[in-house]
Amino acid sequence: MLHIEDLQVKLGDKEILKHIDLEINPGETHILFGPNGSGKTSLLMTIMGYPQYKVTGGKIFFKGEDITHMPVNERAKMGIGMSYQRPPTIHGVRTRQMVEICAKNKVDPEALAAELNCSEFLERDINAGFSGGEIKRSELLQLTAQDSDLLLFDEPESGVDLENIVLIGNTISHLLQRDFKIDPEKTQKERLKERTKMGLIITHTGFILDYLTADKGQVLYNGVLVCASNPREIFRTISKVGYEECIRCAI
Amino acid sequence: MRNLDEKALTAKEKKAKLGPDVDISSYGSETVSHDYVENLVSLSESDKARMILAGVDAHEKERSGTFIQKDTAVIHSRSKQEGLEVMSIKEALEKYDWLEEYYWNLVSVETDKYTSLAQLDLQNGYFIRSLPGSKVTNPVQSCLYLAKENLSQNVHNIIIAEEDSELHIITGCATSEHLQRALHVGISEFYVKKNAKLSFTMIHNWSEQVMVRPRSVGRVEEGGLFLNNYICMKPVKSLQMYPTTHLVGKGAVSRFYSLLVGSPGGEIDVGGRVLLEAEETRAEIVSRAITNGGKIIARGDLIGEIPGIKAHLECRGLILNGGNIHAIPELQGNIDGVEMSHEAAVGKIAQEEILYLMSRGLSEDEATSTIVRGFLSVDIPGLPPGLKAEIDRAVEQSDKEVM
Ligand SMILES: Nc1ncnc2c1ncn2[C@@H]1O[C@H](COP(=O)(O)OP(=O)(O)OP(=O)(O)O)[C@@H](O)[C@H]1O
Ligand SMILES: [Mg+2]
């Protein structure tokens, strides 16, 4: 379980997250909404442990452990993984290597890349000249290889063409154990109970909601979590009136 | 040859334009004899280990020939393939009268005190030649090995790829485990004839107190290709060289790739210069420099003399633990219609890249070394796989030391 308690975060001198409380139970997936610059990426980066996001108050617990000051790689080892909005280019490090690093050599990069339509750039330097859609697929490829328990997705479907959106939507749904399939051994209800993966997905377009069910929606506005409710409900409101309604809640 | 001696004498005290001056008189140059070794496997384990690092395979597997000089003595020299000649320069000068035309033809004996020394006090060096039309696809390995404390090793090498031939050379310079102070002066002249292909990969493994002053010039004729790779990742006191290539025939191509790692207390000043003197010639200079506290000057100079030539220079530096890198890329277009460009970047490893890798499960050290290895892993086109593997191995080795 991820448990965030009264989290306050500064980036440089700027307060970007204010008194955040958030709880994601095993098997739950949450959707995170919020206007540009509201602090969504910052929240994910803070959960991942990026040191430039300075925690000035509050705590983060994961699987019962206080991870507020734990280094990034230890969080990764505990089972936190992230798909980035804007990952860096690393010259001389190939996408294939990244997959091997993520999977600790436990998967076959080629087969996985074929599944995720990443074969063409497996031998390319990671993120070097990747198109927007390629970045999303490569991030998903790495996350799939990593097999984390808490998956943080920063706008996984932004800028992705229609064909690939199906692929990405279904893959995320699968990673979060939300794909529907008839299992002769187990009822859907039983399968649901066995879900352990946790997800936190940032979306502007809401497209992702067409491919997976989500338990909760959260709205981040100006560094404050102002709303937690049914994700479709929230998305409809935002689609109709924008974030104006959130301002009313924020006040 | 007396003429050469006279010229050399005039440059005896002439300081080099670049690099700290070396007091040559503080080194000895007496003959150090070593027995000829029929089978390289019988070399001492420690010598073998040092030579392996410089690319020498004691079993001569997948090698077309071998030349090894230890201090002043040639201890092994042979060609395993028809169409390939490998011998000491002294032997070659005796055997071939015509070689005088090639000797000190590209490098001027009056360049500086080091060229002067290599003429006046020559010990030996190698002569490697692929005969017209012969394809020597397995590399020739050569090693200039320094074991004698305080020696000034002075060598002169001539490499000729005759018309339509192909030749690959991996050459290592190394020092014995215990050697501390020494000087290495090496003259190299490369002749790439019409439609020939020559790749020359040099791996240097010096030690902390060794001074190194190579002087080399190449000349590439019509349709020829000269690939020059230089790798120096072990500590060295002072290394200064500025290998130069003249592209004199239509469509000649030259690529110079260097991988440099600077260590505390060391000073590396390495450049590459290509003169594009004929139609449709191409040149590329790529350098990667990492400093761990040492000083590195990475130079590059492209000179375009003919319209329609293309040349590119790329120079990247990474500062890991202090030290400094000075990138000096130069382009000189001396006429209309040349296409020349350069990129240079010097910096430290971006924290963002380290954290990205850490979020995939690597520790900070593992992430750093992954990035360093990536930085050094430049794709060198046209190298046979065996040579590529040697370079990868050198990078792998240095990576352990850089960390
Ligand atoms: N390096 C930085 N220096 C200064 N301000 C920054 C920096 N990085 C982020 N910010 C600011 O922090 C705030 C939160 O940014 P964040 O990236 O978390 O927003 P977001 O909600 O993810 O936005 P978007 O929907 O556009 O991705 C923004 O105002 C942004 O400009
Ligand atoms: Mg964002």
Side-chain angles (χ1 to χ4, degrees):
Chain A
M1 165 177 91
L2 175 75
H3 180 83
I4 297 178
E5 220 176 73
D6 193 32
L7 183 71
Q8 298 147 59
V9 173
K10 267 188 172 174
L11 182 64
D13 293 334
K14 192 177 167 196
E15 231 179 299
I16 43 169
L17 295 174
K18 300 161 195 166
H19 305 284
I20 304 278
D21 290 303
L22 176 71
E23 198 168 288
I24 303 179
N25 291 304
E28 276 183 12
T29 287
H30 293 208
I31 307 290
L32 184 60
F33 299 99
N36 293 142
S38 57
K40 302 181 297 299
T41 297
S42 306
L43 176 58
L44 263 54
M45 297 293 254
T46 307
I47 297 172
M48 193 70 242
Y50 273 67
Q52 63 265 44
Y53 297 89
K54 266 226 165 69
V55 177
T56 54
K59 279 191 159 43
I60 307 173
F61 296 93
F62 183 60
K63 294 183 176 171
E65 218 175 298
D66 183 347
I67 61 163
T68 318
H69 300 289
M70 195 182 261
V72 174
N73 59 318
E74 283 177 34
R75 298 189 202 205
K77 280 203 186 107
M78 279 188 77
I80 303 180
M82 174 153 175
S83 156
Y84 292 80
Q85 184 176 12
R86 257 181 261 109
T89 297
I90 310 179
H91 289 288
V93 177
R94 291 164 196 236
T95 308
R96 168 195 294 277
Q97 249 175 296
M98 294 301 293
V99 175
E100 286 163 355
I101 289 168
C102 286
K104 304 199 176 58
N105 299 316
K106 273 185 249 160
V107 301
D108 172 15
E110 237 125 301
L112 199 60
E115 268 174 52
L116 288 167
N117 193 13
C118 294
S119 304
E120 312 99 84
F121 52 82
L122 202 56
E123 304 305 334
R124 268 168 66 186
D125 288 355
I126 187 72
N127 302 323
F130 283 22
S131 75
E134 285 170 347
I135 285 183
K136 304 295 176 192
R137 272 179 279 144
S138 131
E139 286 296 298
L140 204 52
L141 174 71
Q142 295 172 59
L143 217 45
T144 306
Q146 209 173 348
D147 191 30
S148 309
D149 297 321
L150 169 63
L151 295 96
L152 310 167
F153 293 96
D154 199 343
E155 301 191 25
E157 84 296 46
S158 296
V160 175
D161 64 47
L162 287 175
E163 226 167 291
N164 280 299
I165 234 170
V166 181
L167 177 73
I168 284 182
N170 289 334
T171 308
I172 294 179
S173 168
H174 175 70
L175 285 178
L176 294 171
Q177 301 165 325
R178 283 170 182 266
D179 41 347
F180 184 87
K181 66 174 180 239
I182 305 284
D183 185 338
E185 312 280 300
K186 283 175 205 152
T187 64
Q188 186 63 15
K189 197 172 174 182
E190 281 169 329
R191 288 189 66 210
L192 213 145
K193 258 200 188 150
E194 285 173 8
R195 253 183 216 161
T196 52
K197 302 282 182 184
M198 294 162 264
L200 183 55
I201 308 174
I202 300 177
T203 181
H204 285 295
T205 63
F207 289 156
I208 197 71
L209 294 171
D210 296 341
Y211 300 93
L212 54 81
T213 56
D215 303 285
K216 242 186 205 175
Q218 308 267 3
V219 178
L220 191 60
Y221 192 88
N222 202 5
V224 184
L225 270 184
V226 290
C227 179
S229 161
N230 180 301
R232 291 200 161 274
E233 189 81 44
I234 295 176
F235 185 62
R236 245 183 70 183
T237 313
I238 300 168
S239 307
K240 291 255 184 289
V241 296
Y243 285 102
E244 241 165 77
E245 195 57 22
C246 305
I247 306 178
R248 287 174 57 187
C249 294
I251 300 167
Chain B
M1 295 261 174
R2 197 179 307 125
N3 195 9
L4 283 170
D5 280 350
E6 275 167 24
K7 283 188 182 168
L9 278 170
T10 66
K12 203 161 183 259
E13 306 294 331
K14 187 172 166 189
K15 288 183 182 169
K17 282 197 198 114
L18 305 171
D21 188 49
V22 179
D23 176 13
I24 291 175
S25 66
S26 68
Y27 296 88
S29 67
E30 69 284 6
T31 304
V32 187
S33 42
H34 295 285
D35 291 338
Y36 191 84
V37 179
E38 280 303 336
N39 189 343
L40 294 182
V41 179
S42 66
L43 283 166
S44 81
E45 287 306 317
S46 75
D47 282 359
K48 246 189 293 188
R50 296 289 293 180
M51 288 185 193
I52 285 171
L53 289 180
V56 175
D57 185 294
H59 297 279
E60 298 183 77
K61 248 191 255 141
E62 286 167 22
R63 299 285 192 257
S64 55
T66 300
F67 177 90
I68 297 179
Q69 178 174 338
K70 184 172 179 179
D71 297 322
T72 64
V74 176
I75 60 167
H76 192 88
S77 166
R78 70 168 179 141
S79 160
K80 283 168 63 183
Q81 189 177 328
E82 222 174 294
L84 170 71
E85 296 179 332
V86 177
M87 63 189 94
S88 75
I89 193 76
K90 287 192 170 170
E91 193 186 336
L93 283 167
E94 255 168 53
K95 184 170 176 181
Y96 295 126
D97 289 339
W98 52 260
L99 194 54
E100 271 184 42
E101 303 285 317
Y102 293 73
Y103 193 65
W104 291 116
N105 174 39
L106 297 177
V107 177
S108 161
V109 71
E110 302 151 284
T111 306
D112 53 34
K113 64 206 270 188
Y114 311 107
T115 54
S116 166
L117 178 66
Q119 168 61 25
L120 299 175
D121 199 358
L122 178 75
Q123 291 149 358
N124 223 327
Y126 52 79
F127 169 78
I128 300 175
R129 174 179 177 228
S130 53
L131 298 181
S134 53
K135 309 281 179 209
V136 185
T137 47
N138 276 335
V140 180
Q141 60 182 2
S142 87
C143 183
L144 298 167
Y145 194 69
L146 261 168
K148 172 83 174 134
E149 188 66 28
N150 213 42
L151 181 72
S152 166
Q153 187 183 49
N154 315 323
V155 301
H156 193 137
N157 312 311
I158 291 183
I159 294 100
I160 305 173
E162 296 284 0
E163 281 190 19
D164 298 307
S165 72
E166 180 174 342
L167 176 60
H168 301 275
I169 298 172
I170 179 161
T171 172
C173 290
T175 54
S176 79
E177 211 176 345
H178 306 292
L179 180 119
Q180 292 186 343
R181 185 176 187 274
L183 166 67
H184 172 87
V185 173
I187 312 302
S188 298
E189 298 180 282
F190 301 92
Y191 294 88
V192 182
K193 301 281 184 76
K194 203 170 156 188
N195 296 323
K197 175 177 176 179
L198 170 65
S199 88
F200 183 81
T201 300
M202 182 145 77
I203 301 177
H204 274 176
N205 287 309
W206 304 107
S207 50
E208 272 98 352
Q209 295 303 323
V210 177
M211 309 289 276
V212 185
R213 292 292 179 273
R215 297 289 177 257
S216 67
V217 178
R219 183 173 182 277
V220 188
E221 295 180 8
E222 184 178 337
L225 170 66
F226 181 26
L227 279 178
N228 192 352
N229 306 310
Y230 180 66
I231 294 153
C232 181
M233 302 189 160
K234 293 284 164 61
V236 56
K237 174 81 184 163
S238 161
L239 158 68
Q240 186 275 317
M241 65 177 204
Y242 210 149
T244 299
T245 303
H246 297 265
L247 300 177
V248 299
K250 184 175 174 182
V253 177
S254 152
R255 299 181 203 282
F256 180 61
Y257 285 73
S258 59
L259 305 178
L260 310 169
V261 173
S263 310
E267 191 172 333
I268 294 179
D269 183 340
V270 170
R273 177 180 286 132
V274 183
L275 295 96
L276 298 99
E277 299 164 0
E279 284 171 89
E280 293 170 33
T281 49
R282 306 270 174 276
E284 186 184 31
I285 297 175
V286 174
S287 91
R288 295 277 186 279
I290 294 185
T291 177
N292 235 340
K295 180 176 170 188
I296 299 181
I297 304 175
R299 299 174 198 272
D301 191 10
L302 292 167
I303 303 163
E305 308 279 13
I306 290 275
I309 59 101
K310 272 192 194 155
H312 183 69
L313 200 160
E314 181 188 305
C315 185
R316 290 208 193 133
L318 201 55
I319 301 171
L320 274 192
N321 290 316
N324 76 61
I325 296 179
H326 187 176
I328 312 178
E330 290 184 72
L331 303 178
Q332 304 177 46
N334 292 334
I335 196 157
D336 264 9
V338 297
E339 197 180 318
M340 306 168 80
S341 55
H342 81 71
E343 300 166 57
V346 175
K348 61 177 176 118
I349 296 184
Q351 191 63 11
E352 202 195 358
E353 295 174 22
I354 293 180
L355 288 164
Y356 186 55
L357 287 167
M358 285 174 74
S359 75
R360 303 303 191 211
L362 295 187
S363 69
E364 189 171 352
D365 283 352
E366 289 166 341
T368 308
S369 81
T370 302
I371 295 166
V372 166
R373 215 174 306 145
F375 178 84
L376 292 173
S377 77
V378 285
D379 265 326
I380 303 175
L383 271 194
L387 278 183
K388 173 136 190 36
E390 288 295 347
I391 292 178
D392 289 347
R393 217 160 49 109
V395 169
E396 202 79 21
Q397 272 295 326
S398 77
D399 173 58
K400 285 180 205 143
E401 285 180 27
V402 168
M403 291 294 100

